[in-house]
């Protein structure tokens, strides 16, 4: 019923702008915004847009904005796109030491000024620019539309009244419609970083997105391509309260691609992912995808008109402007979606080439491409096609195809490309006829395409070699480990399983050795060989230090049951919240209630490193210290072969003298150099913990004694106590320590 009301209001708010031949739809409840742009001029079958992402304009790094001003304006003038999409993180919102993360109005003023200059130099209409929030643009924003929501005040979307979380624009040519839908899934309560890292789509947002993507399904007689753009990759997007996700909506509509940012190029160049509807009920796709491509099986193609579209789409993360100075041109040529990434690190680009057909079989081919081939819907296959943008007149464009079967690249096709002439052309499309059937092959990366353009000054520009498959088959790629970690893992789904696995594991290594020590007659000993026996002996010795053992057990329950710390979560520095392993609890903007567990699973960047790199190593180190002391005692007692009770005081002193002499020998146990290594490792754990605490103090402006004493002090105190209890024996403690050796 709610969706029907939203749809009704959208159509009631129809406004016609006759001068621009554009249509605007708006709704106060759904906060969505629709436009239809009639794309004039040739080439008729082709549209292209520009994507920029992760600008991170910063008061501490003015070069980012300066380079943006110098490079982007002239580049856009040369490319002449139909849309410019800026997918989040417009400003940086970080202090110079990168630890305090909240809004800085000066950065937003700079963004506004730079965009005004770019629009002026590019000579493009301001209304074709679409920018949306990233997590940096939402740091410390307690409520959208409030005094610290600088995005609404300074962004292009905000100034043009695009106040909703979902906005769409349709590029309409004489032959096709191209629907672009932007989605802002930043959290409604903008916490400070680092616990503001994920996209948080709500059920209402997903309903609006579903409605926007379906706006032409029952109305358009023209073929339709759908593209969605946002900031967060799906691997860093949580599910809604009902368990739905952006992926579910995209698969339902079989969009061509979802383009995004957020991850930057430092994680790798293959930050792309092909999504396909899984037919397996117990599929692990909820948690991870091991490779760029999902495994797909091409059966007999259903070529009937009523055949449902393949439930699939591509996810393409692009590089950042922050360090890589990256820009992307994305084109849709008769339904074929392709792109080229450009970086301005080496300066201005004089010529840019974007092949639009055949498609790159690594990142662009889909099962729908194979379906077209099987069903002989290959009218668009007759020519090799490429867009060429240049500041100087182009005198020649050549296309070359290489065969890799001989083991090297053998040139098998070379032809000049001619420009399709149109008096009202928006850009230059070059084509070359070819016999595409000559390149049919079951190996998707056998043939490689390269296009070279030469301008009238003799400057030559070539594309990178790219494999293609006329058959519509995909070249399978594998991620590096770093790429897999950021693109292949669904972190929102993995957080709680990882958390509880860590908790239960730590609990088991504390309780099981203790139970065996109490109830079993068989105990672990260092004299028995084996890795598991050694670990069991270490943990058993830890349980013999009661204060430390109970301290770790109590600390584990403290992390589960109580707040970890209390800090300032918004830019205004007034309201405080407290964080548990389930998220932040903060007051609502009207002070009448609380936002329960905001920032989940974002808080995993604090929770999991603390468990894995502080708590668990600290437990092992305290057990190792206790073990080292026990082995040293047994070494001390083994000097004579008698039990300790057999010695009187004089014999004890003599034996102790002999033991001290043995420490100067080459025995590693006698010298206790293992203890020295363990002390260094203890210092390393304390240093790691100290750096974590320092980052949190800066991020949330906390006092470690007042705001999080349990979190900050427990681990160092337990380590210090264990180090003290296992210290070297001094002469005046000799008798006392010897009496405690035998348990």
């Amino acid at each position: 019923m709610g969706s029907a009301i939203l749809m009704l209001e959208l159509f009631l708010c129809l406004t016609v702008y006759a001068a621009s031949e554009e249509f605007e739809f708006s709704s106060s409840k759904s906060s969505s915004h629709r436009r239809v742009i009639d794309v004039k001029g040739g080439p008729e079958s082709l549209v292209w847009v520009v994507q920029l992402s992760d600008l991170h304009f910063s008061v501490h790094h003015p070069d980012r904005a300066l380079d943006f001003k110098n490079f982007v304006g002239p580049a856009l003038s040369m490319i002449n796109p139909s849309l410019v999409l800026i997918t989040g993180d417009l400003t940086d919102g970080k202090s110079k030491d990168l630890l305090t993360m909240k809004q800085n109005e000066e950065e937003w003023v700079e963004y506004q000024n730079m965009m005004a200059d770019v629009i002026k130099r590019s000579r493009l209409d301001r209304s074709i620019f679409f920018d949306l929030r990233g997590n940096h643009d939402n740091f410390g924003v307690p409520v959208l539309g409030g005094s610290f929501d600088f995005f609404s005040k300074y962004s292009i979307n905000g100034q043009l009244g695009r106040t909703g979380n979902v906005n769409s624009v349709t590029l309409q040519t004489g032959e096709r419609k191209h629907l672009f839908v932007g989605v802002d899934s930043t959290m409604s309560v903008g916490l400070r970083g680092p616990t503001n890292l994920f996209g948080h789509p709500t059920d209402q947002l997903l309903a609006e997105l579903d409605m926007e993507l379906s706006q032409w399904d029952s109305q358009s007689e023209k073929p339709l391509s759908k593209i969605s753009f946002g900031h967060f990759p799906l691997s860093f997007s949580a599910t809604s309260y009902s368990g739905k996700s952006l992926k579910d909506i995209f698969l339902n509509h079989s969009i061509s691609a979802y383009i995004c940012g957020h991850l930057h190029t430092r994680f790798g160049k293959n930050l792309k992912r092909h999504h396909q509807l899984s037919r397996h009920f117990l599929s692990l796709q909820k948690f991870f995808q091991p490779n760029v491509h999902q495994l797909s099986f091409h059966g007999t193609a259903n070529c009937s008109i009523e055949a449902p579209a393949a439930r699939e789409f591509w996810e393409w993360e692009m590089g950042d402007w922050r360090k890589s100075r990256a820009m992307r041109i994305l084109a849709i040529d008769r339904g074929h979606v392709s792109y080229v990434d450009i970086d301005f690190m080496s300066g201005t680009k004089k010529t840019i080439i974007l092949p639009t057909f055949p498609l790159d079989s690594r990142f662009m081919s889909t099962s729908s491409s194979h379906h077209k081939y099987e069903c002989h819907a290959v009218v668009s296959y007759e020519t090799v096609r490429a867009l060429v943008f240049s500041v100087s007149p182009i005198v020649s464009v050549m296309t070359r195809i290489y065969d890799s079967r001989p083991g090297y690249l053998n040139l098998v096709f070379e032809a000049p490309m001619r420009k399709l002439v149109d008096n009202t052309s928006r850009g230059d499309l070059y084509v070359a006829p070819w016999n595409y059937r000559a390149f049919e092959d079951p190996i998707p990366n056998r043939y490689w395409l390269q296009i070279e353009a030469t301008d009238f000054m003799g400057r030559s520009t070539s594309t990178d070699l790219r494999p293609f498959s006329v058959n519509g088959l995909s070249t399978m790629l594998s991620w590096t480990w770093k790429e897999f970690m950021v693109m292949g893992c669904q972190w929102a789904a993995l957080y709680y399983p990882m958390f509880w696995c860590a908790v239960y594991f730590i609990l088991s290594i504390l309780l099981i050795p203790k139970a065996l020590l109490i109830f079993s007659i068989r105990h672990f000993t260092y004299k028995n060989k084996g890795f598991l026996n050694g670990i069991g002996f270490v943990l058993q010795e830890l349980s013999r230090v009661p204060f430390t053992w109970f301290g770790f057990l109590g600390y584990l329950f403290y992390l589960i049951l109580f707040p970890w710390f209390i800090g300032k979560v918004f830019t205004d520095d007034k309201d405080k919240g407290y964080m548990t392993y389930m998220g932040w609890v903060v007051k609502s903007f009207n002070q009448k209630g609380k936002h329960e567990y905001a920032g989940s699973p974002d808080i995993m960047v604090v929770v999991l490193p603390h468990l894995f790199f502080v708590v668990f190593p600290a437990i092992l180190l305290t057990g190792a210290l206790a073990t080292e002391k026990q082995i040293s005692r047994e070494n001390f007692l083994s000097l004579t072969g008698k039990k300790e009770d057999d010695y009187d005081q004089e014999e004890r002193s003599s034996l102790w003298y002999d033991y001290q002499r043995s420490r100067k020998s080459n025995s590693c146990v006698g010298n206790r150099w293992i203890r020295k290594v363990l002390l260094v490792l203890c210092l390393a754990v304390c240093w790691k913990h100290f750096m974590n605490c320092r980052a949190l103090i800066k991020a949330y402006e906390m006092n470690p004694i007042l705001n999080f004493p349990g979190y900050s002090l427990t681990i160092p105190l337990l380590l210090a106590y264990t180090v003290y209890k296992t210290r070297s024996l001094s002469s005046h403690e000799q008798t006392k320590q010897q009496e405690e050796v035998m348990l």
Side-chain angles (χ1 to χ4, degrees):
M1 179 177 177
S3 299
I5 295 174
L6 293 174
M7 182 69 78
L8 179 61
E9 290 183 345
L10 284 168
F11 282 97
L12 288 176
C13 293
L14 173 62
T15 304
V16 179
Y17 289 89
S20 61
E21 295 185 311
E22 298 173 357
F23 297 90
E24 301 263 354
F25 298 74
S26 63
S27 168
S28 59
K29 285 191 176 181
S30 70
S31 300
S32 61
H33 189 281
R34 291 181 181 176
R35 297 184 61 202
V36 178
I37 300 177
D38 284 323
V39 179
K40 303 298 184 183
E44 181 66 24
S45 61
L46 178 63
V47 298
W48 59 91
V49 304
V50 163
Q51 181 192 3
L52 293 150
S53 192
D54 296 86
L55 311 184
H56 290 272
F57 286 176
S58 170
V59 294
H60 308 294
H61 300 277
D63 57 302
R64 298 173 188 171
L66 183 61
D67 287 347
F68 191 85
K69 175 182 177 181
N70 293 336
F71 294 140
V72 174
L76 292 179
S77 178
M78 178 179 72
I79 298 167
N80 189 29
S82 298
L83 292 175
V84 179
L85 313 174
I86 309 176
T87 52
D89 281 358
L90 314 179
T91 63
D92 200 39
K94 284 188 175 184
S95 59
K96 191 171 183 178
D97 62 6
L98 307 180
L99 296 179
T100 304
M101 308 176 202
K102 57 184 180 180
Q103 296 304 296
N104 187 326
E105 189 169 9
E106 187 178 345
E107 294 175 347
W108 283 102
V109 172
E110 182 178 48
Y111 172 75
Q112 182 186 43
N113 294 337
M114 289 300 104
M115 290 308 303
D117 184 85
V118 165
I119 291 171
K120 181 179 179 180
R121 298 181 69 178
S122 68
R123 300 189 299 276
L124 297 175
D125 191 293
R126 188 164 178 257
S127 63
I128 72 169
F129 286 76
F130 283 75
D131 50 13
L132 47 78
R133 287 182 182 86
N135 57 311
H136 283 248
D137 308 316
N138 199 36
F139 282 157
V141 179
V143 63
L144 300 183
S147 58
F148 291 99
D149 181 16
F150 298 129
F151 177 90
S152 297
K153 182 177 179 180
Y154 294 104
S155 70
I156 293 175
N157 271 15
Q159 293 171 354
L160 294 180
R162 303 170 188 154
T163 58
N165 291 328
V166 180
N167 295 284
S168 70
V169 57
T170 302
L171 301 179
Q172 183 172 255
T173 65
E175 297 180 0
R176 301 184 66 92
K177 281 186 169 69
H178 311 84
L179 174 63
F180 290 81
V181 180
V183 54
D184 173 8
S185 60
T186 53
M187 61 176 64
S188 58
V189 180
L191 304 174
R192 294 189 188 188
T195 55
N196 185 341
L197 187 64
F198 282 71
H200 292 263
T202 62
D203 285 312
Q204 179 183 354
L205 182 142
L206 294 177
E208 293 175 12
L209 177 61
D210 182 65
M211 186 165 53
E212 292 300 305
L213 286 170
S214 62
Q215 62 182 273
W216 297 112
D217 288 356
S218 60
Q219 302 177 41
S220 178
E221 297 179 355
K222 299 179 180 180
L224 176 65
S225 299
K226 300 178 182 180
I227 303 285
S228 186
F229 59 97
H231 178 67
F232 299 96
L234 300 186
S235 55
F236 281 82
S237 294
T239 56
S240 68
Y241 182 79
S242 65
K244 296 180 180 179
S245 67
L246 290 171
K247 178 180 177 179
D248 297 332
I249 304 300
F250 295 153
L251 285 173
N252 186 51
H253 288 276
S254 299
I255 68 173
S256 297
Y258 170 63
I259 55 178
C260 57
H262 191 53
L263 294 179
H264 303 193
T265 54
R266 69 176 181 270
F267 290 108
K269 295 182 179 180
N270 294 327
L271 299 183
K272 289 88 179 173
R273 181 176 177 183
H274 181 247
H275 298 267
Q276 194 169 2
L277 184 65
S278 175
R279 293 179 172 86
H280 301 287
F281 178 73
L282 297 177
S283 173
L284 293 177
Q285 293 294 324
K286 177 182 177 182
F287 299 106
F288 59 85
Q289 178 175 313
N291 293 305
V292 175
H293 298 263
Q294 289 187 228
L295 294 177
S296 58
F297 302 93
H298 301 295
T300 303
N302 183 356
C303 298
S304 65
I305 300 177
E306 294 80 13
R311 298 291 181 89
E312 62 178 343
F313 68 94
W314 270 102
E315 177 186 1
W316 294 327
E317 201 270 356
M318 76 160 291
D320 58 289
W321 182 267
R322 177 177 177 263
K323 285 190 176 181
S324 303
R325 303 296 190 264
M327 183 174 75
R328 171 175 291 170
I329 307 173
L330 182 143
I332 308 177
D333 185 2
R334 297 175 296 186
H336 301 296
V337 185
S338 56
Y339 67 86
V340 63
D341 287 336
I342 307 151
D343 73 83
F344 292 96
M345 293 297 293
S346 57
T348 304
K349 303 300 178 183
K350 302 297 183 182
T351 302
I352 301 171
I353 306 172
L354 170 53
T356 62
F357 189 82
L359 299 177
D360 189 324
S361 61
R362 296 169 299 181
F363 304 125
M364 301 167 194
S365 293
T366 60
S367 59
S368 60
S369 301
H370 182 70
H371 180 272
K372 288 181 181 179
Y373 171 78
E374 291 290 328
C375 295
H376 307 289
V378 291
V379 177
S380 60
Y381 285 25
E382 299 297 334
T383 56
V384 177
R385 301 159 67 86
L387 280 167
V388 180
F389 311 100
S390 181
V391 296
S392 302
I394 297 295
V395 295
S396 71
V397 179
M398 298 292 295
T399 179
R400 299 183 179 92
I401 296 177
Y402 298 87
D403 185 356
S404 64
R405 171 171 283 185
Y408 59 91
L409 294 178
N410 179 38
L411 181 65
V412 295
F413 178 81
E414 182 177 28
M417 304 183 76
R418 64 178 179 86
K419 183 171 72 172
L420 295 183
V421 180
D422 192 309
N423 293 331
T424 59
S425 177
R426 295 170 285 116
D428 295 334
L429 176 65
Y430 287 79
V431 301
W434 68 329
N435 177 17
Y436 70 88
R437 297 238 176 237
F439 300 99
E440 294 176 339
D441 197 90
I443 302 175
N445 61 345
R446 175 180 174 180
Y447 295 106
W448 294 70
L449 173 70
Q450 186 176 53
I451 296 175
E452 180 184 18
T454 306
D455 65 16
F456 85 106
M457 297 183 66
R459 291 178 301 213
S460 177
T461 303
S462 298
T463 63
D464 294 332
L465 284 163
R466 56 172 64 189
F468 68 89
S469 172
V470 172
N471 309 49
L473 303 176
S474 296
T475 298
M476 305 303 288
L477 287 178
S478 297
W479 281 310
T480 64
W481 275 108
K482 188 184 295 185
E483 291 166 345
F484 167 73
M485 292 296 289
V486 296
M487 284 296 289
C489 296
Q490 293 298 130
W491 290 108
L494 285 169
Y495 169 55
Y496 278 115
M498 291 178 68
F499 172 79
W500 286 113
C501 283
V503 168
Y504 290 139
F505 178 72
I506 293 173
L507 197 61
S508 65
I509 64 176
L510 288 174
L511 294 180
I512 293 176
K514 186 72 168 180
L516 291 176
L517 188 65
I518 297 175
F519 300 108
S520 175
I521 59 174
R522 181 181 179 274
H523 295 165
F524 294 103
T525 172
Y526 76 95
K527 296 180 180 179
N528 294 332
K529 297 181 179 180
F531 176 77
L532 293 179
N533 178 81
I535 294 296
F537 181 58
V538 168
L539 297 174
Q540 175 182 278
E541 292 306 311
L542 169 62
S543 64
R544 295 179 188 271
V545 187
F547 182 86
T548 303
W549 187 86
F550 281 108
F552 277 117
L553 187 64
Y555 184 62
L556 189 62
F557 281 103
Y558 161 79
L559 294 178
I560 298 172
L561 301 175
F562 297 97
W564 288 32
F565 43 75
I566 302 170
K568 299 176 181 178
V569 292
F570 299 131
T571 301
D572 57 13
D573 296 335
K574 294 180 181 178
D575 297 321
K576 291 186 177 182
Y578 62 85
M579 196 202 88
T580 72
Y581 77 92
M582 293 185 289
W584 284 89
V585 177
V586 297
K587 292 182 179 179
S588 61
F589 182 71
N590 56 17
Q591 304 295 317
K592 294 182 180 180
K594 292 182 179 179
H595 292 286
E596 296 287 346
Y597 308 127
S600 177
D602 309 66
I603 44 94
M604 69 186 296
V605 298
V606 174
V607 173
L608 295 184
H610 184 63
L611 291 176
F612 291 145
F613 304 123
V614 177
V615 177
F616 178 63
I619 291 175
L620 290 183
L621 285 172
T622 52
L625 285 168
T627 301
E628 188 277 337
K629 181 178 180 179
Q630 176 63 18
I631 293 175
S632 295
R633 285 174 171 173
E634 293 191 13
N635 181 63
F636 166 74
L637 295 175
S638 68
L639 290 175
T640 62
K642 295 183 179 180
K643 295 183 179 180
E644 187 170 347
D645 292 341
D646 297 336
Y647 300 114
D648 56 24
Q649 186 62 35
E650 183 176 352
E651 289 176 318
R652 288 176 190 269
S653 299
S654 175
L655 189 56
W656 180 249
Y657 174 75
D658 292 338
Y659 174 71
Q660 294 287 27
R661 290 183 59 189
S662 72
R663 293 184 59 191
K664 299 179 182 180
S665 66
N666 293 328
S667 170
C668 63
V669 176
N671 286 325
R672 302 195 71 179
W673 65 267
I674 295 179
R675 175 182 172 82
K676 297 173 184 177
V677 173
L678 294 175
L679 292 179
V680 172
L681 294 177
C682 287
L683 290 176
V685 170
C686 287
W687 177 254
K688 170 65 177 175
H689 184 55
F690 168 77
M691 296 303 293
N692 291 346
C693 291
R694 176 178 176 270
L696 292 172
I697 290 170
K698 288 275 190 177
Y700 303 108
E701 301 180 49
M702 299 183 293
N703 184 304
I705 305 300
L706 299 178
N707 299 125
F708 60 126
Y711 173 89
S712 63
L713 300 179
T714 302
I715 294 296
L717 289 177
L718 289 175
L719 285 173
Y721 174 80
T722 307
V723 168
Y724 173 78
K725 292 295 290 183
T726 59
R727 70 194 185 281
S728 299
L729 302 179
S730 60
S731 57
H732 67 277
E733 293 175 325
Q734 174 187 341
T735 303
K736 180 180 178 181
Q737 293 293 346
Q738 290 173 345
E739 291 173 352
E740 293 178 354
V741 169
M742 304 304 295
L743 297 177

